[in-house]
Amino acid sequence: MARNSRLDHSVFRLALFLFTLTTAGCQKDKLYEVNEETILPPNANKTKLKSDQQYIAILYANLFQTALSSDNLFEASECVLAFGDKDLVHEVLISNYMNSGGVILPSEQEMRADLDGFITETYNRFLVRNPTEAERQFFKNYISTHPNVKPELVYFSFALSNEYQYY
């Protein structure tokens, strides 16, 4: 009888041990919830397409750091209206402005000496915002690995970018 009692007691302890072991192993992992956030690109708020006159006036101000006279603005606007391909007209306009002299841009040595400063200044000048860290890293790598890139080329590409077409 005492032997059966000890055996029952051992079976009970074994069952209790297994129950404890299995229930302790079934604890659920903690779940963390994340709030839904909409992530938009930095230019998402720029939805209004610049008119031809706005594009020309802003382009001139970005390149020369001064306002374009109303006569010159009217003349340039008439040239843009005369052509159907606005991208081509913008390229010609930027090229003419770059070759006319008086454009305010850093030298290549200044650009390469302070890439962070050049990139930040270019974003602020043309896109009126700071670059994201990904944009900054892309331009630093691109300019560092392409010795033929000059400030004129960077300004040209910013003036032709899709983001520059909007405000």
Side-chain angles (χ1 to χ4, degrees):
M1 187 81 168
R3 188 172 180 200
N4 280 345
S5 176
R6 271 191 254 150
L7 184 61
D8 288 343
H9 196 68
S10 294
V11 169
F12 176 74
R13 286 200 298 188
L14 179 62
L16 182 62
F17 173 74
L18 290 174
F19 176 75
T20 305
L21 185 65
T22 56
T23 56
C26 292
Q27 289 183 351
K28 291 184 176 181
D29 292 331
K30 291 183 178 179
L31 293 178
Y32 296 97
E33 293 183 16
V34 178
N35 295 334
E36 258 186 58
E37 293 290 332
T38 303
I39 300 173
L40 300 172
N43 61 351
N45 295 328
K46 297 180 179 178
T47 57
K48 292 184 74 177
L49 184 64
K50 293 176 184 169
S51 69
D52 292 334
Q53 289 186 336
Q54 290 170 329
Y55 180 85
I56 295 166
I58 293 169
L59 174 67
Y60 190 88
N62 288 153
L63 294 176
F64 295 95
Q65 301 292 301
T66 186
L68 183 63
S69 72
S70 59
D71 290 342
N72 288 337
L73 178 60
F74 177 77
E75 187 177 320
S77 298
E78 290 296 311
C79 289
V80 171
L81 286 174
F83 293 94
D85 187 351
K86 295 211 185 278
D87 290 335
L88 175 64
V89 173
H90 288 171
E91 287 180 30
V92 171
L93 193 62
I94 296 165
S95 181
N96 283 339
Y97 285 160
M98 287 289 200
N99 290 321
S100 68
V103 174
I104 298 173
L105 69 156
S107 68
E108 185 178 350
Q109 292 80 17
E110 291 169 332
M111 176 184 78
R112 294 193 183 277
D114 182 17
L115 279 178
D116 277 327
F118 172 75
I119 293 165
T120 300
E121 192 274 333
T122 303
Y123 267 84
N124 286 318
R125 190 175 193 174
F126 285 91
L127 305 180
V128 194
R129 66 175 177 88
N130 288 323
T132 65
E133 205 47 46
E135 291 167 332
R136 178 185 310 280
Q137 197 59 44
F138 168 79
F139 273 103
K140 282 176 75 173
N141 289 341
Y142 190 83
I143 293 170
S144 297
T145 57
H146 293 84
N148 295 331
V149 172
K150 309 256 186 286
E152 295 91 348
L153 184 61
V154 176
Y155 280 19
F156 199 90
S157 66
F158 270 76
L160 287 176
S161 70
N162 285 336
E163 185 176 346
Y164 192 71
Q165 309 296 318
Y166 292 86
Y167 67 95

